[in-house]
Amino acid sequence: DVFRDIKVPNLELNIIGNGPLLPEIIASAQADQRIKLLGAKKNSEMKHFYFNADVFILPTYHESFWWVLLEAMSIGLPVISTQVEWPIDIISSGKNGILIPPLSKVELKKAILLLINNKEVREKIGLQGRETVENEFSAELITKKFIEIYRNL
């Protein structure tokens, strides 16, 4: 519904993955040719989509696959997600990404329009997202954190 209300030339929404909302998403996609349902993708295929996107959106209600945010952020792709579990631990809204309340179509639309219409904001948030991943979520840092956890058991 949100995407249909956004009238920006050459805008396309690529939806990757499957889930319980798929029937609803299929109905929306049939009503709007700008929406592409790409189905589930292998991790090795995702890099192509990240590099060809302007914005990454994860409007989740419960996120156990939080690493997709880190993957998108790691290449400097600005992200929009919801104020739930893992995203709130990763994103500082307005700095390295944008957080919106779950189920808020109005806030999702505002966030999308902000990033689409403002290249400077999009690039700044993307750069700060990349710096966040490099400084706080690198493989080396994560490994050190796990080692500390195991040592303290």
Side-chain angles (χ1 to χ4, degrees):
D1 293 343
V2 171
F3 191 75
R4 279 188 275 154
D5 292 341
I6 298 175
K7 306 298 181 201
V8 174
N10 302 315
L11 186 64
E12 182 176 287
L13 175 65
N14 292 314
I15 299 175
I16 297 173
N18 297 311
L21 297 177
L22 194 57
E24 184 180 327
I25 293 169
I26 290 171
S28 291
Q30 290 172 341
D32 190 334
Q33 292 183 341
R34 301 173 307 156
I35 301 174
K36 310 294 183 212
L37 299 175
L38 304 176
K41 298 292 175 192
K42 296 177 186 175
N43 286 344
S44 60
E45 297 174 289
M46 289 303 298
K47 189 182 234 183
H48 165 77
F49 295 103
Y50 292 137
F51 279 108
N52 288 292
D54 292 316
V55 177
F56 180 84
I57 306 168
L58 185 67
T60 184
Y61 310 123
H62 169 76
E63 188 47 51
S64 57
F65 301 108
W66 53 271
W67 63 84
V68 296
L69 286 174
L70 296 178
E71 289 174 352
M73 292 168 71
S74 74
I75 63 155
L77 191 57
V79 299
I80 300 170
S81 193
T82 45
Q83 297 165 330
V84 297
E85 299 172 72
W86 286 103
I88 62 171
D89 292 330
I90 297 168
I91 298 171
S92 177
S93 195
K95 294 181 181 167
N96 63 354
I98 298 176
L99 288 172
I100 59 168
L103 303 172
S104 178
K105 293 177 181 181
V106 170
E107 292 302 316
L108 179 56
K109 182 178 176 181
K110 277 192 216 176
I112 293 169
L113 287 171
L114 171 68
L115 294 177
I116 288 172
N117 293 324
N118 193 324
K119 184 179 180 183
E120 184 178 313
V121 171
R122 191 170 62 240
E123 288 176 349
K124 181 181 174 189
I125 287 176
L127 177 63
Q128 290 188 2
R130 182 178 178 143
E131 289 173 358
T132 297
V133 173
E134 290 171 355
N135 296 329
E136 299 176 32
F137 296 97
S138 70
E140 184 179 325
L141 287 172
I142 297 295
T143 301
K144 285 180 182 179
K145 288 178 183 180
F146 276 120
I147 290 170
E148 279 182 44
I149 290 169
Y150 284 116
R151 284 185 179 154
N152 292 324
L153 290 178

